[in-house]
């Protein structure tokens, strides 16, 4: 039996899932026209940071290295256990990370839907506690969360040519060191939104450029039951699914291969979440 959730509004048009899939009620009025509508306001005072060629996209200072390591220890020993207690995080398919260690030896790009304030914590737990660098919209770095975002590996994406050149240099350096990179290709967060939005194709351009395997991950939801009803009232529990790696084919043209990887990743994520019919296409260029 297939369940239809079109009654939830325009952003759920033609949205259908398997009978065993739980879909939480919408927590906000999501746009049915613009899947890249930014729902989260920038918290705190605007610092008016200039993300141009003068900005440090990859901080190599000793102070930052200590801070970055400290923040990961906070995540491992505080946020990870809290995520399991509060949101009952389940990880499915994590053995695919272990089985492909040799394939991932030169770096990986992971992608995931962007549906929760702690979804990056879920991704890190699914990665088996590895570090990752995360390109992010630059504007939130101006708010009170900017310090934490940078401390955990966030790299601001600039919106001018001079900044983009420096941003690319930072990514080139990370690639030369075989670092893991994570991207939310939906670009912005929609809390507890069950359908999968279209992707920004830049993530797959990056994977092709650096010859990185792409590991799709998908966060789905479960009803809050038992003693966990005491925490996070009105919010669902979380599961994260890890898919098979998608390898770029350097013998194919960039345009052809980028679209293929994007389509394959999007479909794999739909399948992992039990989505039968989705409101959105796989990407919007």
């Amino acid at each position: 039996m297939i369940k239809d959730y079109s009654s939830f509004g325009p952003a759920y048009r033609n949205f259908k899932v398997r009978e065993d899939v739980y879909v939480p009620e919408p927590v906000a009025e999501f746009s049915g026209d613009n899947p890249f509508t930014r729902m989260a306001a920038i918290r705190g005072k605007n610092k008016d940071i200039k993300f141009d060629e003068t900005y440090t996209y990859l901080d190599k200072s000793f102070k930052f290295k200590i801070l970055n390591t400290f923040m990961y220890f906070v995540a491992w020993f505080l946020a990870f256990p809290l995520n399991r207690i509060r949101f009952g995080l389940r990880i499915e398919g994590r053995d695919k990370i272990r089985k492909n260690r040799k394939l991932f030896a030169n770096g990986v790009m992971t992608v995931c839907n962007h549906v929760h304030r702690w979804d990056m914590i879920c991704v890190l737990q699914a990665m088996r506690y590895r570090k990752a660098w995360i390109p992010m919209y630059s504007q939130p770095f101006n708010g009170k969360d900017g310090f934490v975002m940078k401390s955990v590996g966030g790299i601001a994406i600039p919106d001018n040519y001079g900044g983009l050149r420096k941003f690319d240099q930072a990514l080139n350096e990370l690639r030369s060191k075989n670092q893991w990179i994570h991207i939310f290709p939906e670009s912005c967060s929609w809390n507890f939104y069950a359908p999968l939005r279209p992707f920004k194709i830049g993530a797959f351009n990056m994977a092709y450029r650096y010859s990185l395997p792409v590991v799709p991950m998908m966060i789905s939801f479960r009803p809050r039951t038992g003693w966990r009803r005491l925490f996070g009232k009105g919010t669902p529990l979380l599961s994260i699914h890890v898919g098979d790696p998608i390898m770029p084919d350097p013998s194919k043209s960039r345009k052809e291969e980028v679209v293929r990887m994007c389509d394959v990743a999007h479909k794999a994520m739909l399948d992992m979440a039990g989505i039968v019919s989705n409101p959105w296409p796989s990407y919007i260029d």
Side-chain angles (χ1 to χ4, degrees):
M1 182 176 176
I2 304 301
K3 296 187 289 187
D4 189 323
Y5 286 88
S6 300
S7 61
F8 276 8
Y12 291 80
R13 64 190 180 280
N14 300 319
F15 181 59
K16 300 176 184 179
V17 299
R18 295 192 316 253
E19 186 178 11
D20 60 313
V21 173
Y22 173 73
V23 176
E25 291 192 14
V27 297
E29 188 174 340
F30 301 116
S31 172
D33 300 316
N34 182 6
F36 305 126
T37 302
R38 301 187 191 181
M39 304 289 291
I42 298 174
R43 304 198 314 157
K45 186 178 179 181
N46 193 319
K47 301 172 186 175
D48 198 27
I49 300 171
K50 303 300 181 185
F51 300 97
D52 54 19
E53 64 275 7
T54 65
Y55 179 76
T56 302
Y57 294 93
L58 192 59
D59 195 334
K60 300 182 222 176
S61 68
F62 179 73
K63 179 181 177 181
F64 176 77
K65 290 178 182 177
I66 294 295
L67 179 61
N68 179 247
T69 301
F70 172 75
M71 291 302 292
Y72 268 90
F73 271 105
V74 170
W76 292 333
F77 294 107
L78 181 61
F80 288 1
L82 281 176
N83 205 23
R84 288 193 181 273
I85 293 170
R86 187 179 179 190
F87 294 104
L89 181 69
R90 291 179 183 170
I91 303 171
E92 298 184 10
R94 191 165 65 175
D95 59 309
K96 295 172 185 176
I97 301 292
R98 176 181 54 80
K99 290 177 181 178
N100 289 287
R101 282 180 297 181
K102 290 184 178 179
L103 179 64
F104 299 160
N106 294 322
V108 176
M109 175 180 289
T110 56
V111 295
C112 187
N113 54 331
H114 206 356
V115 291
H116 185 239
R117 185 172 174 80
W118 280 33
D119 47 20
M120 189 60 213
I121 298 295
C122 298
V123 169
L124 290 173
Q125 287 179 262
M127 284 180 178
R128 300 188 67 88
Y129 303 90
R130 289 171 173 84
K131 288 187 178 182
W133 298 90
I134 316 131
M136 302 176 176
Y137 274 132
S138 59
Q139 289 310 306
F141 284 80
N142 278 306
K144 65 185 295 184
D145 293 331
F147 172 78
V148 174
M149 291 166 63
K150 186 172 181 178
S151 299
V152 297
I155 305 176
I157 303 173
D159 54 8
N160 60 79
Y161 178 75
L164 284 171
R165 200 156 43 84
K166 293 291 291 291
F167 174 80
D168 283 344
Q169 289 174 7
L171 289 179
N172 289 340
E173 183 169 342
L174 292 175
R175 178 67 189 95
S176 70
K177 295 178 179 178
N178 302 327
Q179 297 291 296
W180 287 43
I181 296 171
H182 178 78
I183 293 183
F184 291 108
E186 292 175 316
S187 79
C188 55
S189 179
W190 284 14
N191 273 352
F192 307 117
Y193 181 66
L196 186 60
R197 286 175 287 148
F199 293 163
K200 295 275 191 178
I201 211 157
F204 302 90
N205 267 307
M206 191 184 300
Y208 181 85
R209 173 185 174 186
Y210 293 124
S211 298
L212 290 172
V214 176
V215 177
M217 300 185 183
M218 183 71 180
I219 293 174
S220 63
F221 309 104
R222 312 191 314 275
R224 189 168 287 273
T225 58
W227 60 268
R228 285 195 173 92
R229 290 177 179 173
L230 300 172
F231 303 94
K233 186 178 180 181
T235 61
L237 301 178
L238 306 176
S239 297
I240 186 165
H241 313 262
V242 181
D244 294 312
I246 304 163
M247 293 299 301
D249 184 349
S251 70
K252 303 286 181 63
S253 70
R254 178 195 60 80
K255 185 174 182 180
E256 177 185 5
E257 191 61 5
V258 162
V259 169
R260 182 193 70 83
M261 288 191 293
C262 182
D263 284 342
V264 171
H266 200 270
K267 184 180 184 306
M269 292 163 70
L270 291 175
D271 290 344
M272 287 189 284
I275 297 172
V276 176
S277 175
N278 195 58
W280 308 100
S282 61
Y283 72 94
I284 295 178
D285 202 353

